Amino acid sequence: MQPADIAPKDRLIVALDLSSIAAAEAMIDKLGDSVNFYKIGYQLAYAGGLPLARALATAGKKVFIDLKLHDIGNTVARGVESIATLGATFLTVHAYPQTMKAAVEARAGSNLRILAVTVLTSYDDNDLHAAGYRFNVADLVEARAQQAQVLGVDGLVSSPEEAASLRKIVGHQMKLVTPGIRPAGSASGDQKRIMTPSRAIAAGADYLVVGRPILEASDPKAAADIIQAEIAQVLG
Ligand code: C5P
């Protein structure tokens, strides 16, 4: 059972993976009331996306800033304080203890919530070994999820396949946000570990991040409406 504190319609987060503000604004206009929550990542943030984040928040939308911060604690803290002034709801950081601790402390007093990325989903055991880690992916994900919880991090980003096992580790105190969502019949693109919206929610995800299945649809609003209906149906 999912926590009831999230409105069903807020569970769909559309990734604005677009190259310009004009393209993002056109997409937001098209999606209208069908979407309440937007994610701004590297591509758009470095092309003027932060003022757009502020404008979206001012207009009553929720915003997820996906910049995956990681630096010395003081620098992370000052960055988080600046991002908190935008009115965003979520910000990602890498799940290193110093980084998580600094981010959680710096978001105090704001509405910003911190999501930790445990291990990037493009990493496998060999990649971790090459980077100098003695953990395999599953063990590092588990260790970092536990550290995130102890440090008061608000949620985790994970593949939908990890959602059920993470839920067992962190309980319902933390939000689970999952990309890699593909409605039945849509192209997987470069995503390898995918789930349909209803299966991801059933696996324990609180929020679903969806990019290309909506952005590249011939009718993005209709594509978003279908996903919203699927989410609402699972939550009954
Ligand atoms: O287009 P698609 O639905 O695959 O977009 C998924 C979004 O989630 C992208 O913005 C991508 O960067 C992000 N993401 C991901 N896998 C992760 C973390 C973030 O696909 N592990």
Side-chain angles (χ1 to χ4, degrees), residues 109-182:
S110 76
N111 292 325
L112 185 65
R113 294 291 171 261
I114 304 297
L115 303 177
V117 178
T118 53
V119 177
L120 291 168
T121 47
S122 58
Y123 275 57
D124 63 17
D125 293 346
N126 289 332
D127 294 311
L128 283 183
H129 189 243
Y133 290 85
R134 61 188 163 81
F135 281 85
N136 62 29
V137 171
D139 291 344
L140 190 55
V141 167
E142 181 170 341
R144 287 181 166 176
Q146 281 166 347
Q147 288 173 331
Q149 186 170 35
V150 168
L151 290 167
V153 169
D154 304 292
L156 299 170
V157 179
S158 78
S159 79
E161 284 179 358
E162 287 166 354
S165 57
L166 283 176
R167 196 48 95 196
K168 284 190 197 134
I169 297 168
V170 303
H172 282 280
Q173 189 197 334
M174 297 180 85
K175 303 287 183 246
L176 293 183
V177 180
T178 62
I181 301 298
R182 290 292 177 271

Side-chain angles (χ1 to χ4, degrees), residues 8-60:
K9 212 169 163 188
D10 289 354
R11 292 173 184 268
L12 170 62
I13 303 178
V14 173
L16 288 172
D17 295 330
L18 296 162
S19 59
S20 71
I21 297 302
E25 286 176 342
M27 182 57 62
I28 292 161
D29 275 354
K30 262 186 215 164
L31 293 172
D33 290 340
S34 296
V35 174
N36 285 348
F37 214 145
Y38 287 102
K39 179 170 93 72
I40 294 178
Y42 284 7
Q43 185 183 18
L44 196 62
Y46 297 131
L50 298 183
L52 176 66
R54 188 189 300 279
L56 280 168
T58 304

